[in-house]
Amino acid sequence: MTDETFLSRFEAASLPSFDHRDHLRVVFAYARRGGIDHAVARARDGLRRFAAAHGEPGRYHETLTTAWARVVGHYAMQCSDDFDAFLTAHPRLLERDLLSAHYSRARLFSAAARAGFVEPDLLALP
C-alpha cells in the first residue's frame, strides 16, 4: 500500500488494525508530505480522531504523540527512501521504549503529559 493510500485509510479511520509501526508510518508520510511541524500537527489531530472513531478517546496521549512525531519527523526529513528502507536505516524507532532515554517514567506517564505536551526531563528531543 502506498503512503498516500495508507494516510487516506488512516484519516478515514478505516485501517483494520493500528500498531506502533503504523504510528511511525503516519508520521513518516506526513513529514515527507509537509515537514516536521506538519507531521506533528497532523499526527496529533489524526490520532485523536482515530482513537475516538474506534471508541477509545482516552487512549490518546499528547506527549507520546508529539515526542514520537518530532523524533520520527526529524529522521524522515533526512531520508529519501521509502518507509521500509527508512525503518531499516533507523531500527531503534521500532523500540517502543525509545522515549525512556528522554523522559523519566514519572514525567512521561503523568496526567499532565497525557493532557498536554511536556518537554523531556532527561535528554532533549532532536
Side-chain angles (χ1 to χ4, degrees), residues 35-118:
I36 296 170
D37 291 340
H38 175 76
V40 171
R42 295 301 301 260
R44 289 171 65 214
D45 293 342
L47 288 169
R48 276 191 201 106
R49 282 193 313 275
F50 193 89
H54 289 272
E56 300 184 78
R59 277 192 87 175
Y60 180 79
H61 189 293
E62 180 68 23
T63 298
L64 281 173
T65 298
T66 301
W68 271 107
R70 285 175 52 184
V71 171
V72 173
H74 170 79
Y75 290 110
M77 296 307 297
Q78 300 173 11
C79 177
S80 61
D81 296 322
D82 65 14
F83 182 65
D84 289 327
F86 170 73
L87 288 180
T88 298
H90 304 287
R92 289 217 49 224
L93 295 175
L94 292 168
E95 297 173 16
R96 294 177 56 106
D97 66 346
L98 180 75
L99 293 180
S100 65
H102 299 270
Y103 288 90
S104 65
R105 186 162 180 79
R107 184 170 182 97
L108 185 57
F109 294 104
S110 68
R114 178 174 286 285
F117 178 70
V118 297

